[in-house]
Every structure is written in C-alpha cells, then in structure tokens.
Amino acid sequence: MNPSRHNDQTAVPDTRALPPPSAEEQAHSERLACRVREEVAQAGGAIPFSRFMELALYAPGFGYYAAGQHKFGAGGDFVTAPELGPLFARCLARQCRQILEALTGGDILEAGAGSGALAADLLIELESLGYLPLRYAILELSAELRARQAETIKLRAPHLLPRVHWLDAPPASFRGIVLANELLDAMPAVRFRVAPDGIREIYVTWENDRFSWLEKPAEQPVQDRVVPLALVPGYTSEINWHAEAWVRSIADTLQQGVLLLIDYGFPRTEFYHPQRLDGTLMCHYRHRAHADPLILVGLQDITAHVDFTAIAAAGTAAGLRLLGYTSQAAFLIGCGLDQLAAQSDPENTRAHLELTQQIKKLTLPHEMGELYKVIAFGRGVEEPLLGFAVRDRRGRL
Ligand SMILES: C[S@@+](CC[C@H](N)C(=O)[O-])C[C@H]1O[C@@H](n2cnc3c(N)ncnc32)[C@H](O)[C@@H]1O
C-alpha cells in the first residue's frame, strides 16, 4: 500500500537519499527556480516562506500543482483517501444525501479536486442512491488538474460529465454542500520561529547557488497569534492565514447548506504542542517524506498540517454554525462504513481484500483514521449530521 501524505513512516532523514529527478524534471525545476529567484531579487533579497510555497506549488505553468507532475497515486508522490478506492466517496455520499434531503435539493461544490477521483465516485454513488445534484461545481486553481479531472469523470461516468462545471473563484452565492479533501494543507503557510528576543518570520533567500532561510522580525499579526502560545525559544511552526481566509470567503458565498472539510491536523493545543518543536511542514517526493521545502522546487509537494481551532474560529466568525468536528474514522463509521463493509462478499476474494485494505487505511489510528479530521459548518441546516453521530469532538477545539 502506498504511503499517504502525512505518513512519516516513509520519512527520509537525509534528503541525499531521495531518488534523483530526470534531466527533464531537473530542467523544469531550474526554470521555476529562476522565476522564484527573480521575485526574490525584486523583493530586495528575500520573500516570505508563504510566497515561496505559493510559487513552488502554484506558479502558472511551473508550480507543482500547475504543471504536469503525476502527484497522486502509485505513479506519483502521495496517495489521498479518494485515490485508495471508492469507499471514502461512498461514505461521503451518505452524508451528502442527508444534507441534500434536508435542503430538499442543492448543488455540490468541490474545492481542490485533485485527479477528479472523488468527484467521479461521489457522483456515481449519489446516482445509485437517487440523490444526484443538478450541478457539481469544481473550484480548482490548476488548469492541468482541471483537464485531468474532466478525463477521470469522462472515463468513469461519462453520462454525468454534463453536470460538472469548473469555477475560477467561489460563486457569488451558493446553496448546497461545499466539500474539500486535503485542500487546506496545500495552502501557503507563514513560517515563524521564536527567538530569545522576539518572534521572527521566516523568509527565503538565494545564496551560494541555493535557496536558504532568512529571518526577519515578525509583523504584528504574527506576534499577536504567537505570543499567547507561550512557546519556548527555538520553537518553529506555521500559521495558515490563507486557509482561514479561504473558509471566510466560502462562508460569505454559502447562502444555505454545509461546508465539509477533511484534512490532517489538530486542535490548536496539539498543533503547537511543546514537543512539535519544528512545526508541521512536510514534503513528498515519489512516496518519500522529508522536511526540506527548499529543494526539488516545483517537483515535490509541500504541506503544513491544519490548525482546526483557527479554522473553526474563521468559520464561526463569518457567521456559520459549527456542526461537528471528529476523526476521519469516526466520521466514516457515522456515515455507514460498517454497513457498506458488511455488504462485501468474502467469496469474491479480490474485491473483499481491496475493501478490507481501504477500510484499514482510512480508519486505523496509525494510518489516516486519527490524524485526519472532519469539520463541518452550516447555515440554515439544523439537523445533526450523520458523520458526527458516533463521536463529536467540538469541545476540543
Ligand atoms: C493535495 S491536493 C488534494 C486533491 C484531492 N482533493 C484529493 O484528495 O486527492 C490539493 C488540491 O487543491 C487544489 N488547490 C489548492 N489551493 C486551491 C484553492 N485556493 N482553490 C482551489 N483549489 C486549490 C490543488 O490544485 C489540488 O487539486
């Protein structure tokens, strides 16, 4: 089984042990590095790490998500829940059905749809449940991924493709379900370090023919977030303002319905745990995880875990009601994972084995079951959501 995006069992302590990129990949990376270096020079010698991460992942035509890297699945760099098989989408479909029923209609908007696997499997399952939404919108930054998503849906459910359309920005107004799997962790994060004499924001500069770190005194908003955390000198971590702003912008468009976010992360007390001295930044390259985002520019994924306390605060401050927060395992069980598993025929050895593997990967505590969380917000939806019936941990946020 391939490692997922968070999985540090595959950690590479020495980045020299990473597989070397091909000459073509190397040339691609050089072109992006050149683009980043220009921006570093224009900025007077350094750019905030969040801007470096944004360029490395999303620079048009060059960034990791914007260019042709394989990214998802066995031939790529990491595996996400929808890539394991259709079980994740089948469970999610049961949660969607409950919401669409309560709303007596509504559309679905998926943000950051990756390969399109979730969109295809969710539509297929909703069709079989008799709850197909009229429209399935995909909000996706990457033109390359949009094309790939259309291909996936065309291949797996061609008759459902006419319901799908792509958006460049959140719609002005939306009624239905907004969902995103592993979107927030892919948003550019601010990096900071606590120095003995104050908080520093971490920047990226270019020296001795390579990108390297540079620190500057942190601006007031960073100070205001970090000082109350009372972290020890040397402590380095992240703040994800982009993710918080994104939740606010979606909240503004959600006229009625539910925002459902699935990602890896913790409540704030665990996110800034005293032992998490180096923060949560993680890079993925060909199923190896390591912690140096300044190498393999544009060829590797860069992520930071999600501070769910910050996300909860962003959603509620924007007028949404927090409907639930729980682990992925508890959510999927609440959505009916057990019943779906019970339908599997052990005589059909291959299908049964595949399903068992998906269940293990999605729910075991040392796999995706505990680290991955689900948070839901609502507007004009009063009904308790299925996914939080087994266990709701809102009190921990
Ligand atoms: C880690 S991938 C997850 C893909 C998919 N949801 C999955 O679970 O396999 C992150 C996705 O979010 C997209 N993305 C990142 N920032 C975005 C934004 N602000 N709006 C829309 N999509 C975004 C990326 O292009 C990519 O498709």
Side-chain angles (χ1 to χ4, degrees):
M1 185 72 53
N2 295 308
S4 52
R5 256 161 118 235
H6 67 88
N7 202 332
D8 43 15
Q9 285 168 353
T10 57
V12 177
D14 182 348
T15 53
R16 283 172 301 186
L18 290 168
S22 68
E24 195 187 333
E25 288 169 332
Q26 189 65 45
H28 174 88
S29 180
E30 301 275 332
R31 282 194 292 274
L32 176 56
C34 191
R35 158 92 180 74
V36 178
R37 283 205 302 276
E38 276 166 25
E39 192 161 321
V40 166
Q42 277 162 14
I47 53 174
F49 171 71
S50 57
R51 178 63 182 154
F52 175 88
M53 182 168 167
E54 189 173 2
L55 290 168
L57 296 183
Y58 304 109
F62 293 112
Y64 178 73
Y65 284 106
Q69 272 68 40
H70 286 296
K71 303 175 266 282
F72 317 97
D77 301 304
F78 56 83
V79 171
T80 59
E83 300 292 329
L84 294 169
L87 184 62
F88 179 75
R90 295 188 69 197
C91 292
L92 214 53
R94 277 147 182 80
Q95 179 59 89
C96 292
R97 172 177 61 179
Q98 186 205 13
I99 299 165
L100 295 173
E101 206 164 28
L103 293 175
T104 55
D107 294 331
I108 295 183
L109 189 165
E110 184 185 352
S115 72
L118 179 60
D121 289 337
L122 197 54
L123 282 165
I124 291 168
E125 190 67 11
L126 284 169
E127 182 178 43
S128 78
L129 294 173
Y131 274 88
L132 258 187
L134 209 54
R135 283 176 296 260
Y136 192 103
I138 295 183
L139 179 61
E140 174 58 65
L141 287 186
S142 159
E144 191 261 334
L145 285 177
R146 285 178 183 211
R148 193 152 153 201
Q149 291 153 11
E151 272 305 304
T152 304
I153 299 163
K154 201 166 137 195
L155 200 73
R156 297 198 198 172
H159 63 295
L160 299 176
L161 190 58
R163 285 174 197 259
V164 185
H165 65 282
W166 280 263
L167 301 173
D168 294 319
S173 168
F174 184 79
R175 188 172 174 279
I177 303 163
V178 182
L179 53 94
N181 186 59
E182 296 205 30
L183 167 76
L184 302 180
D185 70 79
M187 291 193 175
V190 165
R191 253 200 131 190
F192 67 85
R193 190 177 75 86
V194 180
D197 57 347
I199 317 292
R200 306 271 190 268
E201 183 173 339
I202 300 181
Y203 279 61
V204 175
T205 186
W206 175 261
E207 62 184 9
N208 303 325
D209 280 337
R210 53 175 314 186
F211 289 112
S212 58
W213 301 113
L214 184 100
E215 294 181 6
K216 295 190 182 195
E219 302 281 347
Q220 201 56 46
V222 176
Q223 306 260 8
D224 292 347
R225 176 66 65 90
V226 178
V227 170
L229 300 170
L231 303 168
V232 291
Y235 198 98
T236 304
S237 193
E238 302 84 36
I239 304 171
N240 203 329
W241 306 121
H242 272 81
E244 295 171 40
W246 185 86
V247 168
R248 282 194 296 273
S249 74
I250 289 295
D252 288 346
T253 75
L254 192 64
Q255 186 204 334
Q256 189 187 16
V258 170
L259 166 61
L260 202 61
L261 303 169
I262 305 145
D263 224 309
Y264 43 87
F266 322 97
R268 183 163 298 162
T269 45
E270 282 175 61
F271 189 98
Y272 298 112
H273 190 279
Q275 282 171 357
R276 211 180 303 285
L277 279 171
D278 291 321
T280 69
L281 266 193
M282 193 53 71
C283 306
H284 297 94
Y285 180 67
R286 298 199 199 157
H287 299 280
R288 269 88 162 174
H290 68 92
D292 187 353
L294 303 186
I295 60 168
L296 296 166
V297 186
L299 301 180
Q300 65 176 358
D301 181 36
I302 308 173
T303 91
H305 286 42
V306 175
D307 167 2
F308 278 100
T309 303
I311 296 304
T316 51
L320 297 181
R321 205 157 68 87
L322 183 61
L323 299 181
Y325 170 71
T326 196
S327 65
Q328 177 171 289
F331 180 82
L332 296 178
I333 293 166
C335 290
L337 179 126
D338 291 0
Q339 290 95 298
L340 288 171
Q343 289 165 11
S344 168
D345 175 8
E347 297 294 317
N348 185 346
T349 318
R350 193 192 163 114
H352 191 68
L353 208 64
E354 274 176 19
L355 186 78
T356 310
Q357 288 298 345
Q358 286 179 59
I359 295 172
K360 282 186 182 166
K361 192 78 188 168
L362 292 170
T363 61
L364 285 179
H366 64 279
E367 297 279 4
M368 294 175 161
E370 270 301 310
L371 180 61
Y372 282 67
K373 310 292 191 312
V374 184
I375 193 166
F377 300 93
R379 195 191 304 279
V381 174
E382 302 306 325
E383 209 167 316
L385 298 185
L386 271 183
F388 304 96
V390 172
R391 194 171 183 198
D392 191 342
R393 298 189 192 163
R394 270 177 291 184
R396 295 223 190 146
L397 289 169

